[in-house]
Amino acid sequence: MDGTALNRPDAPLGGSAASAVGLTAQRTLFDGPSPLVSADMYATVAKGNAERSRYVAKLAKRTVVETNSYFGRFPASYWQRWTEVTEARFVATVTGSGRVDVVATDYKGKKRTVASTTVDTDGQPSRLVLTAKVTQFLDGGALFVRFTTTSGELSVEDAEWTVDAPEKMRPTSVVICTFNRADDCANTVAAMADDPIALHGVDNVYVVDQGTDQVQTRPLFQRVQAELGDKLVYITQPNLGGAGGFTRGLYEVQGKGGDPANVVFMDDDVLCEPEAIVRMNSFANKTVEPAIVGAQMLYLLHPDRVHVGAEVANLQRLEAGLHVKNAIADKSALKKKQDMRVDAGYNGWWSCLIPSEIVSQIGYPLPLFFQWDDIEYGYRARANGFATVTLPGAAVWHADFAWKDWDEWHRYFNLRNGMITAALHGGLDGRQLARQLGTDLFRYLVSMQYGMAFTLIKAVEDFLVGPSKLADGGMDAAAAIRRERSAYDETKRYDANAVPGVRPADMFITPAGPHPKKSLEWAVLAKRVLNQWRGRVVPGPVAISADDAHWWHVSLFAHAVVTDRSQEGVRVRKRDKAAAIDLAKRGVTALRRLRTETDNVSETYRVSMSDLTSRDNWTRLYS
């Protein structure tokens, strides 16, 4: 055990610079950046009473407060595996009396105390340092702190975990790209700027505005711009999607010349936890080799839930966001801890750090507009010897994926870019994929999702066009798919009480039956196709919930009003035999081509890879 109480230094704490006790790896915060977030995500009151604010916890008599929480734990396993760190120090300013314990967990979540001290400052603030070895966490485990009072009160503030500082800190930039989300973007930039520590180690904040409703018109942004001065770089450019927006940050940093440097991506529409920047940047400054360091995603509508502890993709099946074994997924962080260390295949760009050395070696992201750009880059990095580390406790809140409807124009990019990624990194099997997509196509058709069927077909056709489809960075494809999908009525969303031609009382909720047995799915699908063809379906209209909108249920009707996944409205699906026939014919042709042309097309993408990801190509696109 190692416990000492030191006099509080005059210098401010934290940031990505070395202090008297080393590099701030992460701060111990006691409350979130928004009232929407439970303080228990940061520290829990296990017994008694405590007053928790962002930077201070005040414990009453006979109270126990623990940081065994999502943001309160120090992910020791990840620091041991990926960095040169062998020792971490918990540092805090304490006033009053009580006991402070540093507790470790192992990969099974079992706890052990590794450092402890009692404090009695006689009413004067004192600086406390407790040291813990980071040497027995390889398969999992974390460190947290427990504060206990008995007959006295205890105040804890300016708390942080520190490690030995590197010889030289890497220059760091943050890039936020935005498209007509001016208020969201201004709020995100302000959240970072208003945090006293988050931008201390940041050289530049690049705001890449690709929209017509520009962020620079917002008073909040103008205030931040005046405060940050030259540190804030505002750039306007054509809408090249997330890929083009984030890549602009890499492009600007690389243009300054010289490695190393860190570039942190941050989405514009998140509830920003500025601490994520501190944690990712400090971690990246200590890795043994350059690595992509990603923050996790928490759900904005359900702020205690973790999207996934670490994710991979099934390239052959074009499935993204799959959680790796032992990773928590869609779980409450208040109830479930990620004790086992898990490895990620990639990290989403809602918040993610990319070292410049990786860009120098493997090139820039592909001009995919958006969807799968982060996946492709993560897999390309791994193929070239650069890992992706999804760091627990570094996170931002992002809109829940489950509340986004699948039947949207972005599904085109999800399918097309998934095929491109698989062609580059997964040895895409065109015959197997054609079978899978053929099943999806006929499920869409019998479900009266004609716009969705068109979207699938268009994605296949454009993938087969080859790399030339990426020549403009996706601008034409984005405009075209939105325009062409609008021809299909069921792609439109209506207020539930303003459905064209349908009175509210005419829609009665019709629950779905059980899922067909797997061995019978093809038989059921064939039967549904035949009945839709012959018109042997219930006329409707009926109301169907989002959770019951399965192909085998919706296909029983000729007119269904289906709740949108967003829960903000409904989609109206009507049987259209002529549209179904036209789309089936076009789809079969496209899938036949996919079976026979995939190998040759995949080779054209591989040959064009270096040109597509070159600085010259992005210079052309930005010009």
Side-chain angles (χ1 to χ4, degrees):
M1 297 183 182
D2 182 3
T4 56
L6 305 179
N7 289 330
R8 182 178 181 180
D10 294 331
L13 298 173
S16 296
S19 67
V21 286
L23 171 69
T24 300
Q26 65 181 58
R27 293 174 293 173
T28 297
L29 305 171
F30 298 101
D31 201 0
S34 164
L36 298 175
V37 179
S38 170
D40 288 347
M41 292 285 285
Y42 294 81
T44 58
V45 181
K47 175 185 176 182
N49 295 288
E51 179 184 334
R52 292 168 290 174
S53 59
R54 182 72 164 159
Y55 305 106
V56 183
K58 296 180 179 180
L59 284 71
K61 298 176 182 179
R62 294 177 290 279
T63 293
V64 178
V65 171
E66 292 185 342
T67 65
N68 186 23
S69 58
Y70 181 82
F71 287 108
R73 290 155 59 97
F74 178 80
S77 180
Y78 289 77
W79 280 87
Q80 180 180 347
R81 170 64 180 86
W82 296 108
T83 78
E84 56 190 21
V85 168
T86 59
E87 185 177 271
R89 293 171 292 275
F90 175 75
V91 188
T93 297
V94 293
T95 306
S97 62
R99 190 177 78 246
V100 182
D101 302 316
V102 174
V103 183
T105 67
D106 63 15
Y107 65 95
K108 292 183 178 180
K110 294 181 179 178
K111 302 171 185 175
R112 64 188 189 277
T113 301
V114 295
S116 181
T117 190
T118 57
V119 297
D120 190 347
T121 70
D122 196 25
Q124 298 299 313
S126 293
R127 200 68 177 146
L128 168 77
V129 179
L130 284 172
T131 301
K133 296 292 183 183
V134 183
T135 54
Q136 292 182 294
F137 299 91
L138 201 54
D139 284 338
L143 293 166
F144 68 90
V145 186
R146 179 188 298 124
F147 308 100
T148 305
T149 60
T150 52
S151 58
E153 298 177 347
L154 181 66
S155 174
V156 183
E157 59 185 307
D158 294 334
E160 59 182 357
W161 285 95
T162 72
V163 297
D164 289 341
E167 292 184 6
K168 184 178 180 181
M169 294 294 294
R170 299 165 61 91
T172 299
S173 295
V174 175
V175 55
I176 304 171
C177 72
T178 186
F179 176 76
N180 290 344
R181 286 174 173 161
D183 292 325
D184 289 339
C185 184
N187 288 333
T188 299
V189 177
M192 293 187 294
D194 292 343
D195 187 288
I197 299 300
L199 297 184
H200 271 198
V202 173
D203 299 275
N204 290 114
V205 177
Y206 293 97
V207 175
V208 183
D209 196 336
Q210 305 182 123
T212 53
D213 181 14
Q214 296 194 336
V215 184
Q216 62 183 339
T217 63
R218 297 306 195 266
L220 178 60
F221 182 79
Q222 293 166 3
R223 187 265 292 175
V224 173
Q225 194 170 34
E227 292 174 358
L228 295 182
D230 293 341
K231 178 178 282 192
L232 180 58
V233 181
Y234 183 75
I235 299 170
T236 59
Q237 66 180 34
N239 182 22
L240 295 166
F246 283 129
T247 299
R248 185 61 183 264
L250 298 175
Y251 180 91
E252 294 295 326
V253 171
Q254 291 291 101
K256 293 181 177 180
D259 293 329
N262 294 333
V263 182
V264 179
F265 294 173
M266 185 71 70
D267 259 354
D268 60 346
D269 60 341
V270 297
L271 172 57
C272 180
E273 172 49 271
E275 176 66 9
I277 299 171
V278 176
R279 298 186 183 190
M280 287 189 290
N281 194 35
S282 295
F283 190 87
N285 268 280
K286 296 293 289 184
T287 54
V288 176
E289 295 179 337
I292 296 174
V293 182
Q296 294 180 344
M297 179 184 130
L298 299 166
Y299 290 149
L300 192 57
L301 294 177
H302 304 87
D304 66 312
R305 300 192 76 81
V306 182
H307 170 53
V308 62
E311 55 189 329
V312 292
N314 183 326
L315 299 184
Q316 177 56 46
R317 294 187 60 82
L318 312 184
E319 294 175 341
L322 305 176
H323 68 275
V324 302
K325 184 180 180 181
N326 298 319
I328 60 176
D330 192 16
K331 300 292 183 183
S332 171
L334 301 176
K335 299 177 181 178
K336 183 70 174 177
K337 306 293 188 297
Q338 182 71 64
D339 281 301
M340 266 195 171
R341 183 179 59 79
V342 289
D343 289 333
Y346 67 94
N347 199 94
W349 283 355
W350 45 75
S351 189
C352 186
L353 181 152
I354 298 180
S356 59
E357 299 96 315
I358 296 180
V359 183
S360 296
Q361 183 161 329
I362 74 172
Y364 292 90
L366 277 170
L368 296 176
F369 197 78
F370 82 145
Q371 301 284 336
W372 285 77
D373 44 358
D374 45 12
I375 301 174
E376 189 283 321
Y377 204 76
Y379 275 88
R380 193 186 342 153
R382 174 73 72 170
N384 284 274
F386 298 105
T388 293
V389 181
T390 298
L391 187 64
V396 295
W397 288 270
H398 188 282
D400 304 31
F401 284 166
W403 287 57
K404 292 185 176 183
D405 205 279
W406 201 232
D407 190 355
E408 290 286 358
W409 65 274
H410 57 69
R411 179 63 172 146
Y412 163 85
F413 286 99
N414 188 284
L415 287 166
R416 189 203 69 176
N417 296 349
M419 286 184 272
I420 293 172
T421 302
L424 291 169
H425 304 295
L428 184 61
D429 185 332
R431 292 179 178 274
Q432 183 177 332
L433 182 61
R435 286 195 296 271
Q436 174 190 324
L437 295 182
T439 301
D440 292 342
L441 173 64
F442 281 97
R443 286 177 175 175
Y444 296 149
L445 291 176
V446 298
S447 301
M448 299 172 288
Q449 289 179 281
Y450 305 116
M452 190 68 163
F454 169 80
T455 303
L456 182 152
I457 296 165
K458 182 67 172 173
V460 172
E461 291 173 341
D462 286 359
F463 164 73
L464 294 173
V465 169
S468 63
K469 203 66 184 174
L470 306 180
D472 70 343
M475 288 186 287
D476 179 68
I481 193 63
R482 281 180 284 193
R483 181 180 64 251
E484 292 166 351
R485 275 177 52 90
S486 67
Y488 299 94
D489 288 340
E490 84 285 349
T491 63
K492 301 177 179 67
R493 189 168 65 198
Y494 298 96
D495 184 286
N497 291 317
V499 178
V502 180
R503 296 177 58 192
D506 292 337
M507 297 178 291
F508 196 81
I509 295 175
T510 309
H515 193 297
K517 292 182 179 179
K518 194 168 186 63
S519 60
L520 297 177
E521 280 190 10
W522 269 101
V524 174
L525 179 58
K527 183 178 180 180
R528 295 290 193 271
V529 170
L530 186 61
N531 287 342
Q532 279 277 332
W533 174 269
R534 293 176 174 175
R536 294 181 178 178
V537 287
V538 178
V542 297
I544 298 176
S545 70
D547 269 352
D548 279 343
H550 309 294
W551 63 267
W552 70 84
H553 180 54
V554 179
S555 55
L556 296 172
F557 308 98
H559 188 181
V561 181
V562 180
T563 304
D564 189 82
R565 275 284 169 193
S566 69
Q567 298 294 310
E568 294 177 353
V570 295
R571 310 284 188 102
V572 181
R573 304 189 197 176
K574 288 185 176 180
R575 177 175 173 266
D576 186 336
K577 183 176 180 180
I581 293 173
D582 289 344
L583 288 165
K585 289 179 179 178
R586 183 171 172 179
V588 168
T589 300
L591 294 174
R592 185 182 298 119
R593 290 183 57 205
L594 185 67
R595 291 170 59 90
T596 58
E597 298 177 24
T598 291
D599 289 346
N600 290 336
V601 172
S602 296
E603 180 61 22
T604 66
Y605 282 106
R606 289 190 288 268
V607 169
S608 301
M609 183 71 163
S610 60
D611 289 336
L612 290 169
T613 60
S614 69
R615 184 174 181 85
D616 286 344
N617 188 47
W618 281 107
T619 300
R620 178 184 63 81
L621 289 168
Y622 293 139
S623 297

